[in-house]
């Protein structure tokens, strides 16, 4: 899908900044005003919030060719309720809220892109709720194996267990069960 003409791309690219983010560095920090949207060129990120005990609740992972931000907080201009942190060394094209609103006002195709981003974010959240909230720990892991097996290779066990809403110990037990079951 080509939403932007070559001229629109050439005009728009000047508003984006190339950022190199090392594994562990933050793109957005919880409790700070969310002021940017990023597009991942390479690498990966996780989004999470932290509870009162300092325990992370991972809500999603994003990799190459995906946009990252805290949409609700960006639009409302409030402090972010989540952090977005690199889980791999990453290269991200970043645009500020101010520059994004400028592009939205100047190039009508950007409105369609923004709409698709919000729709994608909503669909991901709904899929997460449907596939992870009401399933057993083993069903959750099997769903990841079937639909997003790359997560198992690219994500730390502690982050994957947080995302699935299970303990690391439970995740290790499930992996062992699956290996044992498939060896027959």
């Amino acid at each position: 899908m080509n939403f932007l003409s070559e001229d629109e791309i050439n005009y728009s690219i000047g508003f984006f900044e190339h950022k190199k983010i090392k594994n562990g560095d933050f793109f957005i920090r919880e409790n700070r005003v969310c002021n940017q949207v990023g597009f991942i060129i390479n690498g990966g990120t996780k989004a999470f919030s932290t509870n009162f005990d300092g325990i992370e609740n991972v809500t999603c992972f994003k990799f190459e060719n995906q946009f990252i931000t805290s949409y609700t907080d960006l639009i409302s201009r409030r402090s972010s309720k989540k952090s977005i942190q690199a889980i791999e060394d990453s290269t991200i094209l970043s645009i500020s809220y101010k520059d994004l609103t400028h592009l939205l006002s100047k190039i009508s195709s950007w409105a369609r892109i923004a709409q698709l981003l919000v729709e994608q974010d909503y669909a991901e959240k709904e899929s997460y709720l449907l596939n992870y909230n009401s399933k057993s720990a083993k069903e959750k892991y099997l769903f990841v194996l079937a639909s997003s097996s790359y997560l198992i290779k690219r994500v730390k066990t502690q982050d994957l267990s947080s995302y699935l809403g299970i303990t690391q110990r439970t995740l290790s037990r499930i992996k062992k069960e699956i290996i044992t079951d498939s060896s027959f």
Side-chain angles (χ1 to χ4, degrees), residues 13-27:
I13 201 71
F15 293 94
F16 286 83
E17 177 185 350
H18 243 88
K19 290 187 175 184
K20 298 269 188 195
I21 300 178
K22 293 195 177 297
N23 185 357
D25 288 350
F26 289 86
F27 181 73

Side-chain angles (χ1 to χ4, degrees), residues 5-93:
S5 70
E6 189 173 332
D7 287 340
E8 290 170 332
I9 291 169
N10 290 333
Y11 176 77
S12 300
I13 201 71
F15 293 94
F16 286 83
E17 177 185 350
H18 243 88
K19 290 187 175 184
K20 298 269 188 195
I21 300 178
K22 293 195 177 297
N23 185 357
D25 288 350
F26 289 86
F27 181 73
I28 293 173
R29 283 191 181 265
E30 191 172 3
N31 299 320
R32 293 192 186 163
V33 174
C34 178
N35 198 35
Q36 60 187 337
V37 175
F39 180 78
I40 302 172
I41 305 272
N42 61 51
T45 64
K46 67 178 178 181
F48 65 94
S49 59
T50 307
N51 71 14
F52 292 113
D53 297 323
I55 297 171
E56 292 180 7
N57 175 27
V58 177
T59 57
C60 75
F61 300 99
K62 299 280 182 150
F63 297 95
E64 290 82 8
N65 302 314
Q66 291 184 301
F67 283 91
I68 53 173
T69 195
S70 181
Y71 292 104
T72 304
D73 301 319
L74 178 77
I75 293 165
S76 67
R77 310 302 306 134
R78 292 186 308 224
S79 294
S80 181
K81 292 176 184 63
K82 65 182 177 183
S83 292
I84 298 177
Q85 183 180 34
I87 59 172
E88 301 172 349
D89 289 348
S90 302
T91 304
I92 297 173
L93 286 177

